[in-house]
Amino acid sequence: MKKTLTSEETLTRLMLILVNNLTELKDVQDLPDQEFEYGEKTAYIECLELLQDWEKANQLGLDYNIEVYFNFK
């Protein structure tokens, strides 16, 4: 049976997944041969920036400029 998560557990898990995925894509740039990966990076950054509005985001370490940290240009 699948475990039911609280909203806080779900948001925390989502944040960790996004940070992990962005860490893997940190060096991806807006280049023709990296279009798909750059699109992924863009979407993950947008989602993570939305999570920064969560009242517990700072407590979980999401208190930095995401675009700068993940080399988004």
Side-chain angles (χ1 to χ4, degrees):
M1 183 173 175
K2 188 174 178 178
K3 179 186 174 195
T4 302
L5 302 175
T6 66
S7 57
E8 183 173 338
E9 290 170 329
T10 302
L11 290 172
T12 300
R13 186 172 178 197
L14 179 60
M15 183 194 77
L16 293 173
I17 290 169
L18 291 168
V19 167
N20 183 57
N21 290 350
L22 280 166
T23 299
E24 292 176 6
L25 296 169
K26 191 169 186 176
D27 295 326
V28 169
Q29 297 177 11
D30 189 11
L31 300 171
D33 65 332
Q34 296 181 340
E35 287 178 356
F36 182 80
E37 293 86 355
Y38 188 77
E40 278 185 299
K41 185 175 180 176
T42 301
Y44 294 150
I45 285 175
E46 288 179 12
C47 291
L48 203 53
E49 286 177 335
L50 284 172
L51 283 177
Q52 278 187 319
D53 293 336
W54 178 34
E55 63 190 350
K56 296 192 178 189
N58 284 356
Q59 295 171 9
L60 295 171
L62 198 55
D63 58 350
Y64 52 89
N65 185 318
I66 294 165
E67 290 185 12
V68 171
Y69 186 81
F70 290 106
N71 299 322
F72 187 71
K73 297 172 178 117

